[in-house]
Amino acid sequence: MQEQLLFKSVLVQGLTDALGKFLWSSRLNVKYQREAIEWLGSKDFNLVCSYADWQPTEILKIYKDIKKHTHYLTATDIRYLLYEAITRRS
C-alpha cells in the first residue's frame, strides 16, 4: 500500500510537470515540461501506472481533462486536483 502511494505521487509530479505548472520559476522549467510530456505514454510511464494500480489510459484522460483548465489554475490547484483524482480512487 505504501508503495502504491509512492507511485501515485510520482504520477502527480509527472503530470504537474507535463502541464507546465511549477511552484517557482526556473529557466529549466521548459526542459522539465518537455521531458515530462515525452514520459507520458512511455514504457516507464506505463510501469509507474501499473505500480500505482492505474491504467495508463485513465491517467492520460485525467491529464487531458485538467489540461483544458491550466490557463486559470495555479500549480497548487493542479497538484490538489491530480492528487485527489489519483489517490482517492477506491
Side-chain angles (χ1 to χ4, degrees):
M1 188 69 170
Q2 292 290 348
E3 294 84 12
Q4 273 188 350
L5 185 57
L6 169 68
F7 287 104
K8 288 176 181 181
S9 295
V10 170
L11 288 172
V12 168
Q13 184 63 53
L15 294 175
T16 303
D17 289 354
L19 291 166
K21 293 294 185 167
F22 299 92
L23 294 175
W24 54 84
S25 294
S26 167
R27 61 183 176 80
L28 295 174
N29 287 354
V30 172
K31 176 183 181 261
Y32 298 146
Q33 182 180 14
R34 184 176 50 247
E35 288 174 352
I37 290 170
E38 290 171 3
W39 176 71
L40 297 177
S42 71
K43 288 181 184 179
D44 288 339
F45 172 77
N46 294 338
L47 186 61
V48 170
C49 288
S50 71
Y51 288 157
D53 194 29
W54 274 90
Q55 291 297 316
T57 54
E58 294 174 310
I59 295 296
L60 291 173
K61 182 182 181 324
I62 291 169
Y63 166 77
K64 289 175 184 175
D65 288 344
I66 291 178
K67 186 176 180 178
K68 296 174 189 173
H69 306 284
T70 56
H71 61 281
Y72 64 86
L73 294 172
T74 67
T76 303
D77 294 336
I78 287 175
R79 291 182 67 78
Y80 176 79
L81 290 171
L82 288 170
Y83 179 81
E84 287 296 312
I86 292 173
T87 62
R88 300 291 182 193
R89 182 179 83 172
S90 35

